[in-house]
Amino acid sequence: MLKKLSVASAILVLTANTALANSGPYVGAGLGITSNTATTQTFGSFRGVPLSVFAGYGGIVYQNFYLAGELTGILATGELSNQGAVRTSYGYGASVVPGFVLCDHTITFARLGIVRTHFSQVRVPTASTTTNQTGGQFGLGIQTALTQNVDLRGEYDFIAYKSISSGGYSAHPRSDVATASLVYKFM
């Protein structure tokens, strides 16, 4: 599924020159707060600070409608607290970012994507394991210009992962992530 989303994003980027006005590539980095929980009490909860980088291509497609394709990487997640639970450390993803232009320098957007995340220290009373899981990502955010090429972005994302099993126990991890990012647009 990640391959299909990546191919669709690549096609969007390659054909966007003819379709998008005021469009272009961008890169960025963000720092956030994440909270992972699971559907069972056995797995507890985890809070951390993820460092992410991203690259994308976006622009205005029609009047006030914005569209972008974006690839993201989570480089590391610093641990704030862990109550014997599903700790995320790194990952990557691809997403489509539709939005609406509020004024000349500000857009609001949604995020629909797929992420692949590495979970470590999945502990239950008798077992510990590491695993990679795929999840669906849904988010909302706002982005505003600080200078001609630099934007500030604030975003909230919810990620629902597939089931994790360890020591005969199973859980469906969920992640809430609030991120502040700087975006550099190549114009």
Side-chain angles (χ1 to χ4, degrees):
M1 183 118 189
L2 183 59
K3 285 183 182 179
K4 290 179 184 177
L5 188 57
S6 297
V7 169
S9 296
I11 291 170
L12 172 69
V13 168
L14 293 174
T15 60
N17 263 348
T18 58
L20 301 176
N22 301 322
S23 61
Y26 59 89
V27 295
L31 198 58
I33 299 281
T34 185
S35 176
N36 298 341
T37 57
T39 55
T40 66
Q41 294 298 334
T42 307
F43 281 85
S45 65
F46 166 78
R47 287 182 36 141
V49 179
L51 171 63
S52 61
V53 294
F54 53 89
Y57 192 98
I60 309 300
V61 291
Y62 179 74
Q63 293 182 359
N64 290 336
F65 294 102
Y66 174 85
L67 183 62
E70 194 169 291
L71 300 174
T72 305
I74 305 296
L75 302 178
T77 303
E79 188 172 307
L80 292 177
S81 68
N82 189 355
Q83 299 167 353
V86 285
R87 180 186 189 280
T88 56
S89 50
Y90 60 86
Y92 56 90
S95 56
V96 175
V97 183
F100 185 76
V101 178
L102 297 177
C103 64
D104 287 343
H105 304 290
T106 304
I107 63 168
T108 185
F109 61 89
R111 178 177 303 277
L112 302 169
I114 295 176
V115 296
R116 181 85 171 156
T117 303
H118 179 76
F119 287 92
S120 58
Q121 299 176 357
V122 178
R123 287 177 268 182
V124 292
T126 60
S128 179
T129 188
T130 62
T131 185
N132 293 316
Q133 290 297 329
T134 301
Q137 180 182 36
F138 311 95
L140 295 172
I142 191 164
Q143 182 171 317
T144 190
L146 297 177
T147 67
Q148 182 178 352
N149 293 74
V150 178
D151 287 2
L152 178 64
R153 177 190 286 183
E155 183 173 357
Y156 164 78
D157 294 308
F158 172 77
I159 305 168
Y161 293 97
K162 291 183 178 180
S163 177
I164 292 178
S165 297
S166 178
Y169 295 92
S170 161
H172 299 281
R174 306 288 184 253
S175 185
D176 293 294
V177 184
T179 308
S181 305
L182 286 177
V183 180
Y184 181 81
K185 300 178 291 185
F186 299 96
M187 297 183 133

